Amino acid sequence: MKINPPQRALQFLRWFCREDYLEEIEGDLIEVFEIEVQQSSKRAKWKFAWSVIKYFRPEFIKSFKHKEYNAYGMYKSYFKIGWRNLAKNKGYSLINIGGLAIGLAACMLIGLYVHHELSYDQFNEKADRIYRADMEIKFGDNHMNIAVTNPTFGETALSDFAQIEQTTRLRFYGGFLVKKGDVNIREGNVAWADSTLFDVFTLPVIAGNPKTALTEPNSIVLTESVARKYFDKTDVVGQTLTINNTETRKITAVIKDIPSNAHFHFTSFIPNIEDKSASQDIWAGYQNWNTYLLLKPGVDPNTMTTELNRMLDRHLEPDLKKFVNKSLAEFNNQGDFFKVSLTKLTDIHLHSDKPGELYANGNMEYIYIFSVIAVFILFIAIINFMNLATARSANRAREVGVRKVMGSLRHNLIHQFLTESFLTCLFAMLLSVGITYLSLPLFNELTGKSFDFSFLGSGSVIFLMIGLTLVVGLLSGSYPAFYLSAFQPVAVLRGSKGYSKKSVFRNTLVAFQFSASILLIAGTLIVFLQMEYIRSKDLGYSRAQKLIINNIDQLGQQLEPFKNNLTQVAGVEGLSVTGFLPVNFNRSVNAFFPSPTMDINTAISIQSWIVDENYLPTMDMKVVAGRNFHKGKADTLSIILNEAAAKFLGWGDVLEHKLYRLTEKETSPIAEYNVIGIVKDFHFSSLREQVKPLAFLYGEDRGGLTVKVNSTDMASVINNIEAQWKSISPGFPFEYSFMDQDFENLYKSERQIGNLITIFASLSIFISCLGLFGLATYVTEQRTKEIGIRKVLGASVAGITTLLSKDFLKIVLIAIVIATPVAYYLTYQWLQGFVYRISLQWWVFVGAGLIALGIALFTISFQAIKAALANPVKSLRSE
Amino acid sequence: MKKYQLGEFEEIVMLTIAILYKEAYGLAIKNEIESRLKRNVSMGAMHTALVRLEDKGYIRSHDGEPTEERMGRPKKYFQITALGKKAMEYSRETRNALWGAIPDVSLNVKFS
């Protein structure tokens, strides 16, 4: 029996040993083994194995460098071939790279936007433990969810519960004028804050002591940029600012500017302790403060909420006794309640939109919409790539066949195709960075954010981009790589296999592309129509040619002379002094009672705006019943309601009735108002909401001055008004805005989103068309001979064009069938967010389909007609 | 001046190749050294020497016929090149020169 040397040792030797020595070494070892084995086979085997191990030394181990060199050569060849292919088919390369680059750039921009939106308030070190206390109040027919609490809520919770580490409150103060030299400059983002502000939020202090910064009256904390504005430096602690030309405030601290991704954008803070109402122990009212609670690590917010509700009920009891003479149980039994809930700090920006928010927040809905669009765009671009590559497989198939015959393995071919697609992606990525760079200013303008190009510097972004390039390269290159490399060389070279006219996979991809495009077109149309509806809707007042002048409260005694002077200015038709306007956020809610018994069940909360007798004519509001206010003292206890309030009260003839209200006065705690008029409903909040009950009270509110202008030369009117202002109040800035602009600002986010969706939808359609164009070019090229023969046999141009377009149009029709229900469902959901909305019209979807069909037809026919018009002699001459 | 680099074991391997002349393949060289010099030679060490010598250009190799006892693997025969021959001669000359330079006294004293 012949004994073989140990196989395992031999395998090991073959694994590590250099090829050029292997045979010799193996031979020698086996020769020795053959001799040894005659004495003892076991010994011989051991000796053999040991010898093999002794050969495991640098001289005989395969050189890895050597191996790499080989692969490097192969990859060099892949790159060269890849580059040549790109350069050879310039048209396709342009479509591929251009489409991918636009897609990637769009994704990058959307990514920037989404990332920024999602990062709100994350900069706070204790962000995961900070919660805002929100209240839900049901009181008779009033039911509200508000982002604010009563003044002592946080303080009480802090002393009652060990689970709470700290609490702080913020309240919007508004704006004031700061004196710099001789001029006063308006600072619009001022907040009341507690001294614990810096314990809860991460607001780095540059100068001053955060512990004591907000403990003294008449102190102020500035942000870095405000400090620089007035002093050109940040080291200004101890200096004073002159506020509103009269009072002075001592600067106690300067903090870094608040990041743009914070849910508040204040530029200065003043201490809450100046405000007496901030320390009043009232629980059933005065919900004015955004209260933040910092929980201790590990505290469950849900159990905390239960505890806080118990605390709230406990303190509510005496208040209810005092104000409505009911116990808490009685109050709850009639279905009324006060509830507190906790909103996570990082959820405020995207998930909270309640009355009492410090600033308008974002909307999670749009984050989803944008992410979906980004994915769509990327997929459309990738599909282009895949489709063009597979369509071109006829040309490449022959190459694949020859390569295979020459000994190329399947994995070599896969590598080659993947290298090509990676190369394309790399170019696309580089190009997309360029596109992003160029389009960033435009994007900033559209979104109202301020992204800069520095995001490229961060490691994670670069990592992400490389990752994205690889993933896109793999995705877009995988289908051609695996599909083409599987061809049988014999079949390919004989010409029986390769490109097939009917590719189900390719058609499915095109159908998907067009479904996505139709979805986006329909969505864009709906958003556009809704925006147009809002813009053109009769809002119950006119906002054209209205000038709003700020800082009226600074005029003091000069107000009357100023008003008189203004009426003399040519073009001024009327003016009204009040801060309550449909286009700003100055709001005041009061509880009114229909009877002097003040039964809480019948109370209604009504917006109560203090206006003068000129308000209704200046705003072009219509009185539908009764009369307007008369100038003078007579109407101080008169009230004008809007239709919504009248309807709410449910009286037959409202003008006969009276309304009652609690006042602060001890002597006459109940005020009685005569209803003197009904004004037509007008929209004073977002069209997402129903018009709410509103009442006008007669009085003077110096929050602003609205001037009704009737002139074709607005500029000269403004100049004349400014001249009047300068002559009466030198030193105060003349600030004005147009009411229609303010209105636009109310719907700014909606408009921005609308614009962005339009742009990205157009991009996706453009990329789809690029792909379709490439595909159409290819198919007509393939069928040149067929077309030539058909023409010779008498086919008409129209007939050939139809022939070529038919297949594609079928796909687009299928896409319409798929996309329409989805588009209908999604737009329906979006419109539910608006109380005043357009109804979904069938023609929008038909229109979207037709647009897609039209664009597709246009793209294809370009090639089809060109092919149909070509002289058949040319196409048939060759061969 | 490092004109020719030749280690002690390498020199022995070369001399053995010269002795074996046409029959100088790996195992034969090993057996020859072992029988003549009565020292144990590991296969690995010898192969290392052969690889180095071939790299230096002192020897060259050619494959022989496949043989039964090697399970079909050909023997690899080594031959000394002209450069190898020069290196050996150089090595021998330097030794001789050194031997010749030794004063008689030196060795006599040592042995006495």
Side-chain angles (χ1 to χ4, degrees):
Chain A
M1 199 189 85
K2 193 166 161 61
I3 296 165
N4 284 324
Q7 289 303 307
R8 207 143 307 161
L10 209 55
Q11 273 169 9
F12 178 61
L13 179 73
R14 282 174 189 160
W15 175 73
F16 74 78
C17 189
R18 288 170 63 164
E19 269 105 2
D20 45 345
Y21 295 131
L22 181 64
E23 217 167 32
E24 185 197 355
I25 290 167
E26 243 184 79
D28 283 354
L29 284 175
I30 289 168
E31 205 179 326
V32 173
F33 179 80
E34 294 282 307
I35 298 161
E36 296 265 336
V37 85
Q38 322 237 312
Q39 279 128 39
S40 156
S41 70
K42 206 173 173 185
R43 209 177 117 84
K45 279 182 184 172
W46 273 113
K47 220 172 162 185
F48 186 90
W50 179 236
S51 302
V52 166
I53 290 166
K54 281 201 288 188
Y55 269 105
F56 191 70
R57 51 171 97 188
E59 290 93 336
F60 302 109
I61 293 174
K62 278 178 190 163
S63 163
F64 293 104
K65 202 175 157 195
H66 192 70
K67 192 182 164 197
E68 263 176 5
Y69 181 75
N70 255 344
Y72 167 72
M74 227 32 236
Y75 277 102
K76 210 169 123 186
S77 145
Y78 294 156
F79 272 106
K80 191 178 271 176
I81 301 283
W83 172 250
R84 282 179 187 166
N85 265 320
L86 286 181
K88 192 171 129 200
N89 304 301
K90 288 201 181 62
Y92 294 120
S93 309
L94 204 70
I95 289 174
N96 270 342
I97 295 177
L100 261 184
I102 294 172
L104 284 173
C107 276
M108 244 186 258
L109 291 175
I110 292 176
L112 268 181
Y113 180 81
V114 168
H115 177 260
H116 185 263
E117 286 286 303
L118 291 178
S119 72
Y120 265 70
D121 294 308
Q122 304 276 13
F123 66 89
N124 286 295
E125 279 155 20
K126 299 164 194 159
D128 55 328
R129 293 194 279 131
I130 304 173
Y131 291 84
R132 188 185 65 195
D134 292 349
M135 285 210 153
E136 186 182 351
I137 299 172
K138 185 157 182 306
F139 205 52
D141 285 321
N142 305 298
H143 189 183
M144 46 190 174
N145 269 299
I146 48 177
V148 281
T149 69
N150 56 302
T152 45
F153 184 89
E155 199 184 306
T156 315
L158 181 64
S159 63
D160 278 17
F161 300 109
Q163 298 98 305
I164 297 174
E165 191 177 311
Q166 190 53 281
T167 176
T168 194
R169 294 171 300 172
L170 282 172
R171 184 183 179 188
F172 201 91
Y173 171 88
F176 49 50
L177 297 169
V178 178
K179 194 162 194 166
K180 186 189 184 185
D182 290 335
V183 288
N184 283 291
I185 300 172
R186 191 175 174 80
E187 285 300 326
N189 293 299
V190 185
W192 297 104
D194 283 336
S195 58
T196 49
L197 178 72
F198 305 105
D199 296 338
V200 176
F201 295 106
T202 308
L203 302 170
V205 175
I206 298 173
N209 182 356
K211 292 262 172 273
T212 56
L214 289 163
T215 48
E216 295 288 321
N218 290 322
S219 54
I220 186 166
V221 172
L222 302 178
T223 57
E224 196 181 348
S225 55
V226 174
R228 282 193 198 283
K229 186 154 104 192
Y230 295 105
F231 300 99
D232 287 325
K233 58 180 182 178
T234 56
D235 186 22
V236 293
V237 173
Q239 308 223 37
T240 54
L241 279 179
T242 308
I243 308 291
N244 288 344
N245 221 11
T246 49
E247 48 178 311
T248 56
R249 281 184 180 275
K250 198 171 117 191
I251 299 164
T252 47
V254 176
I255 59 170
K256 280 221 163 100
D257 283 352
I258 293 170
S260 65
N261 55 357
H263 74 285
F264 50 80
H265 311 292
F266 296 118
T267 54
S268 20
F269 296 91
I270 55 176
N272 257 330
I273 44 163
E274 284 175 32
D275 179 8
K276 281 210 183 75
S277 65
S279 52
Q280 272 186 311
D281 195 21
I282 288 181
W283 288 74
Y286 278 71
Q287 273 86 13
N288 283 325
W289 283 267
N290 288 76
T291 306
Y292 300 87
L293 302 175
L294 174 63
L295 303 187
K296 290 209 172 130
V299 175
D300 177 31
N302 292 326
T303 45
M304 197 67 240
T305 310
T306 323
E307 302 260 2
L308 286 171
N309 270 311
R310 251 177 242 147
M311 176 192 87
L312 177 66
D313 284 348
R314 216 166 39 239
H315 288 89
L316 221 46
E317 183 99 50
D319 269 19
L320 289 173
K321 267 268 177 314
K322 195 161 111 197
F323 293 119
V324 295
N325 198 21
K326 280 201 171 94
S327 72
L328 181 71
E330 285 173 299
F331 186 70
N332 285 346
N333 280 342
Q334 58 194 28
D336 296 338
F337 58 80
F338 277 66
K339 263 188 204 158
V340 64
S341 61
L342 293 181
T343 302
K344 206 169 188 307
L345 175 70
T346 46
D347 284 347
I348 291 176
H349 179 66
L350 287 174
H351 299 279
S352 174
D353 183 22
K354 296 175 177 173
E357 301 278 350
L358 289 170
Y359 284 85
N361 286 332
N363 193 337
M364 198 61 200
E365 193 179 284
Y366 294 132
I367 301 299
Y368 289 134
I369 292 180
F370 278 122
S371 309
V372 167
I373 291 180
V375 172
F376 270 5
I377 291 182
L378 199 60
F379 264 99
I380 288 174
I382 292 175
I383 288 173
N384 275 352
F385 191 110
M386 287 167 87
N387 274 345
L388 286 180
T390 46
R392 278 166 59 211
S393 60
N395 299 348
R396 301 304 296 275
R398 210 151 279 147
E399 180 194 332
V400 169
V402 172
R403 277 179 184 274
K404 279 201 163 178
V405 169
M406 300 304 283
S408 210
L409 296 174
R410 192 173 170 205
H411 78 92
N412 294 127
L413 290 166
I414 291 176
H415 281 204
Q416 190 201 328
F417 284 115
L418 285 184
T419 310
E420 269 175 45
S421 74
F422 283 139
L423 205 61
T424 312
C425 284
L426 191 71
F427 285 132
M429 183 53 90
L430 293 177
L431 195 60
S432 74
V433 171
I435 295 175
T436 311
Y437 178 74
L438 292 176
S439 56
L440 214 49
L442 184 72
F443 187 67
N444 281 338
E445 204 172 294
L446 283 170
T447 53
K449 308 219 171 195
S450 52
F451 300 113
D452 59 22
F453 209 56
S454 62
F455 75 91
L456 260 186
S458 83
S460 59
V461 170
I462 292 175
F463 183 76
L464 200 73
M465 278 169 61
I466 294 172
L468 196 64
T469 312
L470 290 179
V471 169
V472 171
L474 197 66
L475 273 180
S476 52
S478 60
Y479 184 67
F482 293 101
Y483 174 69
L484 287 179
S485 63
F487 285 170
Q488 287 298 317
V490 178
V492 168
L493 292 177
R494 215 196 300 137
S496 60
K497 198 173 171 190
Y499 171 72
S500 56
K501 259 190 249 169
K502 286 204 171 88
S503 162
V504 178
F505 184 73
R506 198 158 62 226
N507 291 346
T508 314
L509 291 181
V510 175
F512 175 78
Q513 265 187 324
F514 270 87
S515 304
S517 298
I518 292 166
L519 199 62
L520 291 176
I521 297 174
T524 314
L525 276 175
I526 296 287
V527 172
F528 180 77
L529 286 172
Q530 173 69 16
M531 290 301 115
E532 210 36 51
Y533 171 76
I534 288 173
R535 203 162 299 162
S536 59
K537 189 174 189 324
D538 178 17
L539 298 171
Y541 65 95
S542 154
R543 57 184 188 276
Q545 296 221 333
K546 298 281 152 63
L547 205 62
I548 301 164
I549 300 172
N550 296 328
N551 304 336
I552 293 300
D553 47 343
Q554 300 305 321
L555 291 175
Q557 297 298 315
Q558 300 294 315
L559 179 61
E560 282 305 317
F562 180 63
K563 275 164 74 180
N564 287 334
N565 288 355
L566 279 194
T567 50
Q568 308 300 317
V569 173
V572 171
E573 273 201 343
L575 43 89
S576 168
V577 175
T578 182
F580 293 99
L581 295 171
V583 293
N584 64 13
F585 295 104
N586 195 2
R587 297 287 179 262
S588 160
V589 180
N590 276 307
F592 282 88
F593 300 85
S595 70
T597 54
M598 302 273 177
D599 181 8
I600 194 73
N601 292 329
T602 58
I604 59 166
S605 74
I606 301 183
Q607 286 277 344
S608 24
W609 293 9
I610 296 158
V611 300
D612 62 13
E613 71 281 0
N614 296 320
Y615 189 76
L616 298 182
T618 310
M619 293 295 160
D620 298 315
M621 289 175 184
K622 284 190 194 74
V623 178
V624 291
R627 60 173 177 87
N628 189 6
F629 296 117
H630 293 310
K631 196 176 163 76
K633 295 252 180 209
D635 271 339
T636 46
L637 283 175
S638 296
I639 192 167
I640 298 176
L641 298 175
N642 71 349
E643 287 173 316
K647 201 173 151 204
F648 191 87
L649 290 165
W651 296 325
D653 190 356
V654 182
L655 300 182
E656 297 290 304
H657 285 80
K658 294 187 192 314
L659 278 175
Y660 301 89
R661 179 169 82 118
L662 284 169
T663 65
E664 285 95 34
K665 277 180 234 155
E666 293 283 325
T667 48
S668 54
I670 297 172
E672 183 188 275
Y673 289 92
N674 292 309
V675 179
I676 58 160
I678 308 277
V679 70
K680 193 169 179 291
D681 272 347
F682 64 95
H683 291 274
F684 56 89
S685 68
S686 164
L687 287 190
R688 284 177 178 265
E689 293 161 28
Q690 193 84 36
V691 172
K692 298 234 173 73
L694 179 141
F696 290 121
L697 304 176
Y698 186 66
E700 191 184 68
D701 175 87
R702 292 192 170 192
L705 181 111
T706 308
V707 182
K708 182 182 177 185
V709 181
N710 186 4
S711 165
T712 48
D713 189 6
M714 193 57 135
S716 74
V717 176
I718 293 170
N719 277 335
N720 291 335
I721 295 175
E722 187 171 2
Q724 294 297 338
W725 175 276
K726 287 260 160 73
S727 69
I728 279 188
S729 65
F732 288 106
F734 177 66
E735 280 183 5
Y736 66 92
S737 59
F738 295 104
M739 197 184 265
D740 46 2
Q741 273 176 7
D742 289 357
F743 176 80
E744 292 286 309
N745 285 339
L746 271 185
Y747 289 92
K748 206 167 136 197
S749 76
E750 246 89 35
R751 209 181 58 241
Q752 281 173 351
I753 301 289
N755 285 341
L756 283 179
I757 292 179
T758 312
I759 288 173
F760 286 121
S762 323
L763 272 184
S764 81
I765 294 160
F766 176 71
I767 299 171
S768 300
C769 286
L770 269 187
L772 199 63
F773 182 78
L775 220 51
T777 315
Y778 183 74
V779 170
T780 39
E781 230 168 63
Q782 286 293 298
R783 299 173 78 173
T784 315
K785 287 229 162 64
E786 183 195 329
I787 293 162
I789 293 168
R790 279 178 190 274
K791 280 199 86 171
V792 169
L793 293 176
S796 65
V797 172
I800 289 173
T801 312
T802 321
L803 177 83
L804 288 171
S805 314
K806 208 173 58 195
D807 286 349
F808 287 115
L809 293 186
K810 245 187 253 165
I811 301 171
V812 176
L813 283 176
I814 291 170
I816 291 175
V817 173
I818 297 170
T820 308
V822 182
Y824 181 86
Y825 175 76
L826 291 178
T827 48
Y828 180 79
Q829 291 295 324
W830 182 71
L831 282 176
Q832 293 309 302
F834 291 87
V835 171
Y836 299 93
R837 57 177 183 253
I838 53 169
S839 54
L840 280 176
Q841 303 283 344
W842 59 271
W843 62 262
V844 171
F845 299 99
V846 173
L850 282 179
I851 292 174
L853 203 63
I855 295 174
L857 197 64
F858 175 77
T859 316
I860 300 160
S861 65
F862 193 72
Q863 284 299 326
I865 293 173
K866 200 172 115 189
L869 287 175
N871 190 344
V873 171
K874 269 188 189 157
S875 55
L876 293 176
R877 191 174 48 190
S878 61
E879 219 171 300
Chain B
M1 191 184 80
K2 282 185 174 176
K3 204 170 172 186
Y4 302 103
Q5 269 238 319
L6 206 53
E8 189 262 346
F9 186 66
E10 288 174 352
E11 197 177 355
I12 290 171
V13 170
M14 282 191 79
L15 288 166
T16 317
I17 290 172
I19 294 167
L20 288 169
Y21 186 45
K22 292 261 181 195
E23 291 301 319
Y25 75 95
L27 199 62
I29 299 166
K30 174 180 140 79
N31 289 337
E32 191 72 20
I33 297 171
E34 278 176 348
S35 66
R36 277 183 189 269
L37 300 184
K38 307 274 183 293
R39 65 189 257 186
N40 220 352
V41 177
S42 95
M43 300 272 284
M46 191 195 55
H47 258 121
T48 312
L50 287 170
V51 168
R52 287 211 191 122
L53 287 170
E54 203 167 5
D55 283 350
K56 289 176 187 170
Y58 294 168
I59 57 173
R60 64 166 176 263
S61 62
H62 63 90
D63 286 347
E65 292 293 310
T67 56
E68 179 69 25
E69 71 265 25
R70 291 169 75 95
M71 292 173 117
R73 276 129 191 120
K75 284 177 183 169
K76 197 174 193 180
Y77 291 103
F78 295 93
Q79 247 183 318
I80 291 171
T81 61
L83 186 68
K85 197 180 158 213
K86 272 189 190 163
M88 284 167 76
E89 278 165 1
Y90 174 78
S91 162
R92 189 178 176 175
E93 274 164 24
T94 48
R95 300 280 159 95
N96 285 346
L98 289 171
W99 273 105
I102 299 172
D104 287 348
V105 199
S106 160
L107 289 176
N108 286 341
V109 171
K110 202 180 175 190
F111 289 122
S112 68

